[in-house]
Amino acid sequence: MPSIDDVTNTPDELSEKEADTLLEEADLVQDMRGEVCPYPQVEAKKGLQTLSAGELLVQETDHVPSTENVPKAVENDAEASVWRGSDAIDRIYLRKR
Amino acid sequence: MDSTLPVAAIVGIGLGVFLQKGRFCFVNAFRDFFAYKDTRVTKGVLTAIILTMVFWGLTYQLGYHQELWTPKWGMTGLIGGFVFGVGMTYAGGCASGTLYRAGEGYLQFWLTLLFMGGGYASFTAIFPTLQSTYFAPLTIDNGVSLFAISPIPAGFLAVLIAGAVVLVYAALTGSKAANNGSPERATTKTGLLTVIAPITGLQTFVSDTRTYLRGLVHALRTPVASSKRPWDPRSAALGITAVAVLWFVQVSIVGITGPEARWTGYLISQVGINAASFEYWGSILFQGQGIGITADMVMIGFVIIGSFLASLWSGDFSLRIPKRRRLPNAVGGGFLMGAGSRLAPGCNIGNIYSGIAELSIHSFIASVGIIVGVYVMTHWIYREVGCAI
């Protein structure tokens, strides 16, 4: 079973399948495709408020700046990892603290 | 105009590439600072302004520049800037951000551009009324640049201001570092601490810059791979400064919404409407020379192309379809940006970037208006989750 610690910036080091398993495990998935700043940040904060410590939130995004500023926006609330997909859709994995 | 066409292409493509690679976003620079004190992009924006100011000051002093842009100053900058700031925060992209994201394949920002056009056209339609009810009463005096009126030579003045900004920055970061970890020290700040703060801040600044330059040299060892990765906004700032100096020497200061408002007039004239008969297009934007395509219009067109090429090269290009619930952002934000940039006049590039870099009185006021607009709108957007500042 993959964990959030396996998530890396390079798709080769975490296979598509493992990343998908981790996505299925998520307690909340937010489809942020087509969304631009600051809504992914706001939604991530809102989503994390509904989760309890240790639970996993995954955002799917096609807005590259989100992969930098969403983790930064929630750094006090969650541990973040970014997985860059091969099809221009990235995933942001957030484990609530 | 023919001789400036190649320059327009080079500057436009250059701006598009550097903006895209650095994810150089003025909304991000201020919004994320207000929302959670993230300064990564803010540093890039400050670097670009300060570097451009120094180089423009020097070229101005040596007489190599073409023209300055100094609109009349007054409350118009504050009000129009505020409207623009609210609009760009709501739209999720400033004037320059909208252009390069249009090139990256965001359909949302093409829609924003369309509604900015709506803002320019509406403004133009009611301009005669605004002249007497808005511009005349709110304007205080003719516009001027400190480059032109300062007794200190422009280049030297720019260097002095750049030095002062670095010192203030150092004092702020220095005192923040000193206060870290001990809340009591923040309240019982001693005089000694105030003296030491700029010094420790300067040390941090120097070591930050050194780390950045080392990273840059390291990145240049593998130029192809590095060019595909996202860049530090400070690297983008260096590139933007280079093309801005070229543009300053050959044409004028860098602007976005002025040329866009001209594009709107031009496109409207193409569908059979006599754009020249509107006072704002005819005598102000096109200065009575007839509706046509000017060098700055070509330049901003190339910004979209440059960003398209850069995003294709990096693998970032994709057609991004906006969610239906985001349409009000493109429609409302775009309209407010279009109208606000005319009411000020000038956008984030004309005022915060170019206007401050050429030390124009009007732009200092308009920049304050824009930043207050971003501040207010950021608080509204983050109303449910809280803002840091």
Side-chain angles (χ1 to χ4, degrees), chain A residues 26-80:
Chain A
D27 299 284
L28 180 61
V29 178
Q30 293 178 330
D31 175 10
M32 285 292 136
R33 284 172 294 176
E35 291 276 26
V36 297
C37 328
Y39 293 98
Q41 305 162 24
V42 173
E43 291 303 321
K45 275 187 171 275
K46 275 195 211 164
L48 286 168
Q49 283 171 359
T50 68
L51 298 182
S52 13
E55 288 189 312
L56 185 66
L57 164 66
V58 181
Q59 280 197 344
E60 290 197 282
T61 179
D62 54 10
H63 184 52
V64 185
S66 285
T67 62
E68 292 164 359
N69 56 28
V70 168
K72 192 96 180 102
V74 300
E75 68 186 352
N76 293 329
D77 315 323
E79 179 199 344

Side-chain angles (χ1 to χ4, degrees), chain B residues 9-347:
Chain B
I10 293 169
V11 171
I13 289 180
L15 276 179
V17 168
F18 298 130
L19 290 169
Q20 199 275 333
K21 291 306 302 182
R23 313 200 188 298
F24 210 81
C25 174
F26 283 70
V27 181
N28 186 337
F30 299 111
R31 180 199 59 216
D32 290 2
F33 176 68
F34 294 142
Y36 48 92
K37 296 190 178 175
D38 178 31
T39 56
R40 197 184 56 90
V41 183
T42 324
K43 277 181 198 158
V45 167
L46 281 179
T47 310
I49 297 171
I50 296 299
L51 282 177
T52 304
M53 181 183 67
V54 168
F55 283 103
W56 280 6
L58 290 169
T59 36
Y60 179 86
Q61 187 180 335
L62 300 172
Y64 286 125
H65 74 293
Q66 296 297 323
E67 48 184 79
L68 296 174
W69 177 73
T70 50
K72 293 178 178 165
W73 65 274
M75 292 300 286
T76 53
L78 217 50
I79 296 170
F82 180 79
V83 173
F84 181 84
V86 166
M88 78 176 191
T89 313
Y90 190 50
C94 52
S96 43
T98 300
L99 276 187
Y100 81 78
R101 288 197 183 135
E104 286 180 298
Y106 287 87
L107 297 183
Q108 165 145 8
F109 287 107
W110 284 98
L111 200 65
T112 306
L113 278 177
L114 183 73
F115 280 91
M116 286 173 81
Y120 302 134
S122 310
F123 173 87
T124 303
I126 59 165
F127 179 69
T129 316
L130 287 173
Q131 270 290 50
S132 53
T133 58
Y134 175 79
F135 286 104
L138 292 177
T139 301
I140 294 173
D141 205 350
N142 281 332
V144 71
S145 156
L146 296 186
F147 281 168
I149 56 164
S150 145
I152 307 169
F156 190 52
L157 177 68
V159 172
L160 277 181
I161 294 176
V165 170
V166 170
L167 266 183
V168 170
Y169 174 82
L172 288 177
T173 51
S175 64
K176 203 175 80 185
N179 287 336
N180 260 358
S182 88
E184 294 124 51
R185 264 173 92 180
T187 47
T188 61
K189 200 188 271 177
T190 61
L192 186 67
L193 199 62
T194 328
V195 178
I196 294 173
I199 300 169
T200 51
L202 267 184
Q203 284 167 341
T204 327
F205 176 76
V206 169
S207 77
D208 265 6
T209 311
R210 210 178 275 159
T211 315
Y212 161 70
L213 288 176
R214 252 201 303 271
L216 189 64
V217 170
H218 186 72
L220 288 173
R221 284 202 199 118
T222 51
V224 176
S226 305
S227 69
K228 295 194 180 201
R229 281 194 295 270
W231 298 355
D232 188 302
R234 285 170 289 186
S235 303
L238 291 175
I240 290 168
T241 305
V243 289
V245 171
L246 178 60
W247 194 243
F248 192 62
V249 168
Q250 296 290 329
V251 184
S252 182
I253 69 149
V254 181
I256 305 272
T257 46
E260 280 178 359
R262 273 194 273 275
W263 269 116
T264 310
Y266 174 79
L267 292 175
I268 276 181
S269 74
Q270 295 303 297
V271 297
I273 295 167
N274 184 3
S277 69
F278 289 89
E279 186 188 352
Y280 190 66
W281 277 319
S283 57
I284 296 183
L285 285 181
F286 289 99
Q287 296 169 350
Q289 291 168 2
I291 308 292
I293 295 185
T294 56
D296 54 356
M297 287 163 71
V298 176
M299 192 275 275
I300 65 158
F302 273 106
V303 172
I304 300 182
I305 296 173
S307 130
F308 168 71
L309 295 174
S311 63
L312 213 56
W313 173 252
S314 322
D316 294 343
F317 182 85
S318 74
L319 273 189
R320 293 150 164 114
I321 323 276
K323 294 253 190 309
R324 193 173 295 167
R325 63 168 187 256
R326 262 337 131 222
L327 295 185
N329 297 71
V331 174
F335 186 86
L336 289 178
M337 271 204 275
S341 74
R342 297 304 88 207
L343 290 168
C347 57

